[in-house]
């Protein structure tokens, strides 16, 4: 009895120590499932890892494992597949001769274990773990627009970062000026939360809270989303944002634009600046040069004093006051001197010089400025520089020396800063005109504008020898322009026109001879005279121009010419029709040269000559030119023959 008990005890101990026999259902350890990774919306290929013998693949059942429960989704019988009713009914198909199950349009809900189980030769199964990924959208960052005061006792919200529709949940990292931020007690706090959408995707929301200092007023914050795809790890960054940081004002100062030397006429801006945020309320004051007291100036809504145009009276001592509306503390700036450079009105003496011919004249120019001045004298009519310096000497004055002289006072160191003064020198003498006589081309029965200009001292007056509408206009103190509006008549063509300028010292006359414009050279746009030239003399000239008027009847002879032209055209048309008729009947043979004799009946075989003759002048015949614009030769007297003999 003892021996059997001993053997049994040994066998029992051996059974307890032996491992479980593989192949017994429920007794063997489950191997790790095969991992398959896909992106949302793509197709997952689930390969059954059973023995590749045809017998094993001809009878396979597929299951999805959800909450430790097997749900049949597909079955294979004799190599033919059939979906089971349920959520996968329309998304499964067989591939690779039945060895692979394809799952289309993968969603986050499909992330689970799938297994295939065969029936022969014995029950076998293969597990597949499906992992699903989806890149989140670009992160959206919203900054705290209200701002953060630096004296806050605890971290304040800086910005919020949102990453939508990612799977699985991405990781968020916050950055300041390119450096990652980490949780720091009483300094930095990051609060993140996620929301599961109906699609199974995640929306991540992260809030950055921090305690900021004055140096963070320009800090750049952004968030970064880290996520994984089957291809590896990836990340997306948001845009950079700056949060308003509020801190008290410690300093106030003035700035002037433009920078550099200022001059009268400039647009000058005086603005206050401070190192606080928000800036304080500004006011600008200027010291009164008499009382030495500060007087507040009127500024715009931004606290900027605009001087436009700047004047020398704006020069002085300016100061800015910055009032902090929270603490009601006022901080002054350092006083700043403003200098508006100027040139005073230029004075020339004598102011109205008068001299006899042959005498001398000295002109003196004076002006004041905040800088060193430079003077020069110019001839007004020509712009020629006559002298550099405040004094101009004129010797042995001639009549031509009369007129304008300009003194220019400028500051070389400040471009554009200058003043000028014009003085007219009068040289006594009778009126002076640039010409004695001139020819003016006109057209009969047209209104004509004649101008006559004269100069002298004393100022001359102008009269005309014909009746018309005259008017005078002063060009300068010694020069006058008279304009006469007159009708061109045969009598006026015979006599011409005279304009006479006179003063206390004498008179002078100009004669204008009127000549008719040749019709053959008159263009349709001839509203001005031809052959006129403007005198280059500075003291006188004469001009003439046509005024547009209604057209007067043309001479009767032109009507006769037009009738003759029409008759000629009709004759040519008839002859052309006869030639065309003969050609169509075949009685008019045409060679390559185009010079064949016209065949006519013997009774009418004679010479035909058509003559168009006019006794009109060439200038009248010029009106008969065709639209092609061809002109006759100078020797052509208006006769033209059309010879039909050849």
């Amino acid at each position: 009895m003892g021996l059997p008990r001993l053997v049994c005890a040994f066998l029992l101990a051996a059974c307890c120590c032996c491992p479980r026999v593989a192949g017994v259902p429920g007794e063997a350890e489950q191997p790790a499932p095969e991992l398959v990774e896909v992106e949302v919306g793509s197709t997952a290929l689930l390969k059954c890892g059973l023995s590749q013998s045809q017998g094993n693949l001809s009878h396979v059942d597929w299951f999805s494992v959800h909450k430790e429960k097997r749900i049949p989704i597909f079955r294979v019988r004799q190599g033919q597949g059939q979906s089971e009713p349920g959520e996968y009914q329309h998304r499964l198909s067989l591939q690779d001769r039945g060895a692979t199950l394809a799952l289309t349009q993968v969603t986050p809900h499909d992330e689970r274990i799938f297994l295939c189980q065969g029936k022969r030769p014995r029950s076998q199964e293969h597990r597949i773990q499906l992992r699903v990924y989806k890149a989140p959208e670009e992160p959206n960052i919203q900054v705290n627009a209200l701002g953060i005061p630096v004296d806050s006792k605890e971290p304040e919200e800086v910005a919020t970062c949102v990453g939508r529709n990612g799977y699985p949940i991405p990781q968020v990292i916050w950055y300041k000026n390119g450096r990652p931020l980490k949780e720091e007690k009483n300094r930095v706090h990051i609060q993140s939360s996620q929301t599961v959408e109906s699609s199974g995707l995640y929306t991540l929301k992260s809030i950055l809270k921090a305690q900021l200092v004055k140096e963070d007023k320009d800090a750049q914050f952004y968030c970064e989303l880290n996520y994984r795809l089957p291809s590896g790890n990836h990340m997306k960054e948001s845009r950079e944002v700056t949060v308003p940081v509020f801190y008290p004002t410690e300093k106030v100062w003035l700035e002037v634009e433009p920078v550099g030397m200022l001059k009268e006429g400039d647009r000058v801006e005086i603005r206050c600046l401070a190192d606080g945020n928000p800036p304080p309320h500004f006011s600008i004051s200027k010291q009164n040069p008499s009382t030495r007291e500060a007087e507040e100036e009127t500024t715009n809504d931004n606290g900027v004093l605009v001087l436009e145009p700047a004047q020398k009276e704006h020069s002085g001592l300016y100061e800015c006051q910055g009032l902090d509306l929270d603490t009601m503390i006022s901080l002054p700036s350092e006083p700043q001197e403003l200098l508006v450079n100027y040139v005073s009105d230029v004075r020339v003496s004598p102011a109205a010089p008068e001299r006899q011919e042959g005498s001398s004249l000295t002109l003196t120019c004076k002006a004041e400025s905040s800088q060193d001045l430079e003077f020069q004298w110019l001839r007004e009519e020509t712009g020629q520089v006559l002298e550099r310096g405040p004094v101009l000497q004129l010797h042995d004055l001639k009549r031509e020396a009369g007129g304008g002289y300009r003194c220019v006072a400028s500051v070389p160191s400040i471009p554009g800063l200058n003043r000028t003064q014009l003085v007219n020198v009068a040289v006594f003498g009778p009126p002076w005109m640039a010409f004695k006589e001139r020819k003016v081309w006109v057209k009969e029965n047209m209104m004509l504008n004649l101008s006559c200009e004269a100069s002298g001292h004393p100022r001359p007056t102008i009269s005309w020898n014909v009746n018309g509408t005259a008017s005078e206009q002063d060009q300068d103190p010694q020069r006058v322009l008279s304009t006469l509006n007159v009708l061109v008549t045969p009598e006026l063509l015979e006599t011409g026109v005279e304009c006479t300028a006179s003063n206390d010292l004498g008179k002078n006359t100009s004669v204008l001879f009127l000549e008719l414009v040749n019709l053959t050279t008159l263009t349709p746009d001839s509203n001005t005279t031809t052959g006129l030239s403007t005198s280059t003399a500075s003291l006188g000239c004469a001009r003439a121009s046509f005024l547009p008027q209604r057209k007067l009847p043309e001479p009767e002879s032109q009507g006769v010419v037009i009738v003759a032209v029409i008759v000629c055209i009709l004759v040519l048309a008839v002859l052309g029709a006869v030639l065309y008729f003969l050609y169509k009947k075949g009685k008019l043979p045409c060679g390559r040269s185009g010079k064949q004799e016209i065949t006519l009946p013997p009774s009418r075989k004679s010479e035909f000559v058509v003559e168009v003759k006019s006794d009109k002048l060439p200038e009248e015949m010029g009106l008969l030119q065709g639209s092609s614009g061809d002109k006759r030769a100078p020797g052509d007297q208006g006769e033209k023959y059309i010879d039909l003999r050849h």
Side-chain angles (χ1 to χ4, degrees), residues 143-149 158 212 216-217 242-246 277:
V143 71
N144 177 10
L146 298 179
I148 299 175
V158 176
L212 302 182
D216 294 325
K217 60 185 177 66
T242 301
V243 63
V245 179
F246 301 132
N277 189 32

Side-chain angles (χ1 to χ4, degrees), residues 21 52 90 95 114 132 280 287 296 316 320 424 442 513 588 600:
V21 179
Q52 298 300 309
H90 303 292
Q95 292 185 5
F114 294 85
V132 181
Q287 187 183 81
E296 186 171 344
C320 177
N424 281 288
V442 299
F513 296 105
L588 182 62
L600 295 173

Side-chain angles (χ1 to χ4, degrees), residues 509-530:
T509 300
S510 285
V511 180
L512 299 166
F513 296 105
L514 306 184
E515 294 287 342
L516 281 177
V517 177
N518 193 329
L519 290 176
T520 58
T521 60
L522 182 62
T523 63
D525 195 23
S526 295
N527 288 330
T528 58
T529 60
T530 59

